[in-house]
Amino acid sequence: MIRFDHISKQYRGTSRPALGDVSFEAQRGEFVFLVGASGSGKSSCLRLILKEERPSKGKIHVLGQDLGTISSRKVPYFRRNIGVVFQDFRLLPNKTVHQNVAFTLQVIGKSRGYIQEAVPDVLKMVGLEGKAQRMPHELSGGEQQRVAIARAVVNKPQILLADEPTGNLDPATSAGIMNVLERINAGGTTIIMATHEAMFVDQMKKRVIELSQGEIVRDERHGGYGVTAAIPLVKPAPAPTEPATVQLTTGVVVPVAAPARQPAATPAAEIPAAVRPATTPAAATAAPEPAPEASPADGKQPDNVRPITRANPVAHPAEMSLAERLGLRANGTDGGDYDDQNVGPVK
Ligand code: ADP
Ligand code: MG
């Protein structure tokens, strides 16, 4: 479904490659963690999958297509098969939850009737039932990320890319997000998630590809995070009292240290332009209800919710420019209809 063949990537003006001779294949339905220190090449891999960057050497196949053969004009259509979630959520601040999720469907020309059915379904799936009319600022960080996930999967992409999706969230909230991602994966969506969160990677026992200075140093089917000594400390300090626990749907109980940590700095240059998806068979809507975090709109801000600070200047782009960033429009010329055959057969 995703195949890297001897991929090297050297950005212009840099002296050493960001990726060097990276080869791997992710099968349909897999959940793959991309781990490694900051600068090891995780986001570069995700951007290459989206065709936001081109490899300097090697070939990438995604959904049966050689990315080198997709013309720029067709890239937005290609990207509709791939949902993307970022560390900083990137919601439209002046739209409700419903409107944020509906937005991507509107841009790709889905009918009103379709949108009216699809949005509530996906909001329920991510645990935001009853919050459709909230504004983003009325939501906790975890809820905002759930909206972003709902937006990323509402038109059932075959692949979901997540670039440090829990990087701005405290551990308990992150566990809820991981539950949602697990459920989406259980519905058949292939997930590639870049992360620093050793705890989840260790607990979830999914495939782990570890990068170090642009090279794969580990590829394990049911891995853990591995040696964390070289990786910046992102785990919170141990809780002073008995730690709370969170049950993942895998049945794994994750200890949760209480206080929030500082948000990880996210250089704007590191964040790929967003994307948007399309057809997948499996709907992940039949899953059990998650337990969403308490929202500040429900009352007092809970201890486990850290206010979201947005340093990123591109966090609130104008809507149409967001659509372009989301890969939904081809330079503003995109209509509603498109040919699904643009994307090759599922492998
Ligand atoms: P990670 O996501 O693991 O932190 P990245 O893929 O963002 O790693 O970066 C890998 C390397 O490529 C780093 O050395 C980074 O500085 C460099 N890099 C990433 N994006 C660019 C860019 N647009 N231009 C130049 N260098 C870049
Ligand atoms: Mg990164």
Side-chain angles (χ1 to χ4, degrees):
M1 175 158 249
I2 297 172
R3 197 172 84 227
F4 276 41
D5 284 322
H6 302 287
I7 293 302
S8 295
K9 173 66 188 175
Q10 182 148 8
Y11 291 100
R12 213 172 290 156
T14 60
S15 55
R16 32 179 308 277
L19 294 173
D21 199 26
V22 167
S23 296
F24 70 90
E25 183 159 7
Q27 305 295 336
R28 182 175 189 178
E30 266 195 293
F31 195 129
V32 181
F33 284 113
L34 275 182
V35 306
S38 184
S40 58
K42 304 181 295 295
S43 296
S44 294
C45 284
L46 299 183
R47 287 196 295 264
L48 285 163
I49 293 169
L50 286 168
K51 201 169 153 73
E52 280 182 0
E53 294 286 350
R54 280 169 202 222
S56 311
K57 273 189 215 154
K59 268 194 182 176
I60 299 174
H61 285 81
V62 176
L63 295 167
Q65 272 206 312
D66 175 351
L67 295 197
T69 67
I70 301 179
S71 67
S72 331
R73 201 175 61 81
K74 296 223 165 153
V75 166
Y77 302 113
F78 159 73
R79 287 185 184 156
R80 291 175 185 188
N81 294 279
I82 307 176
V84 184
V85 176
F86 302 96
Q87 183 171 349
D88 62 351
F89 321 142
R90 304 190 189 185
L91 302 179
L92 292 163
N94 300 320
K95 286 183 176 282
T96 64
V97 166
H98 175 95
Q99 288 167 336
N100 263 280
V101 177
F103 177 69
T104 49
L105 293 175
Q106 287 161 349
V107 175
I108 65 173
K110 292 289 184 189
S111 73
R112 247 176 125 155
Y114 180 94
I115 292 170
Q116 289 310 322
E117 282 195 16
V119 174
D121 278 357
V122 76
L123 288 179
K124 187 171 175 202
M125 193 268 292
V126 300
L128 289 176
E129 217 176 3
K131 308 229 162 151
Q133 299 313 317
R134 297 276 175 88
M135 301 302 287
H137 74 268
E138 298 176 313
L139 302 176
S140 68
E143 287 171 332
Q144 291 184 49
Q145 190 60 295
R146 286 167 192 260
V147 178
I149 293 170
R151 179 179 64 184
V153 301
V154 67
N155 64 339
K156 304 183 181 0
Q158 300 187 55
I159 297 169
L160 178 63
L161 305 180
D163 199 353
E164 312 218 18
T166 59
N168 276 353
L169 304 173
D170 64 81
T173 306
S174 299
I177 294 298
M178 293 312 301
N179 270 332
V180 171
L181 294 178
E182 273 198 299
R183 224 173 310 126
I184 290 166
N185 176 243
T189 308
T190 306
I191 297 187
I192 315 286
M193 170 171 160
T195 186
H196 275 122
E197 309 276 350
M199 188 170 68
F200 297 121
V201 176
D202 287 340
Q203 295 288 338
M204 284 177 68
K205 304 279 185 258
K206 303 286 190 191
R207 182 168 172 195
V208 175
I209 296 177
E210 181 175 350
L211 290 165
S212 175
Q213 301 189 357
E215 291 179 14
I216 293 183
V217 293
R218 184 162 64 108
D219 183 351
E220 264 185 82
R221 285 284 137 184
H222 304 286
Y225 197 89
V227 180
T228 53
I231 295 164
L233 185 66
V234 292
K235 279 211 245 184
T241 53
E242 189 77 54
T245 59
V246 172
Q247 179 100 40
L248 293 178
T249 54
T250 46
V252 173
V253 175
V254 178
V256 173
R261 62 180 180 278
Q262 288 305 305
T266 307
E270 188 189 351
I271 302 167
V275 174
R276 268 308 31 238
T279 54
T280 198
T285 49
E289 279 305 294
E293 304 81 38
S295 149
D298 295 335
K300 189 173 155 287
Q301 177 96 353
D303 289 345
N304 66 343
V305 174
R306 180 154 29 83
I308 305 306
T309 50
R310 290 178 181 276
N312 181 353
V314 299
H316 301 316
E319 287 174 22
M320 282 306 111
S321 103
L322 177 66
E324 271 155 37
R325 290 176 60 76
L326 292 175
L328 292 163
R329 290 162 63 89
N331 301 319
T333 58
D334 190 11
D337 298 328
Y338 71 98
D339 179 3
D340 280 295
Q341 301 313 311
N342 276 320
V343 176
V346 174
K347 282 179 51 177

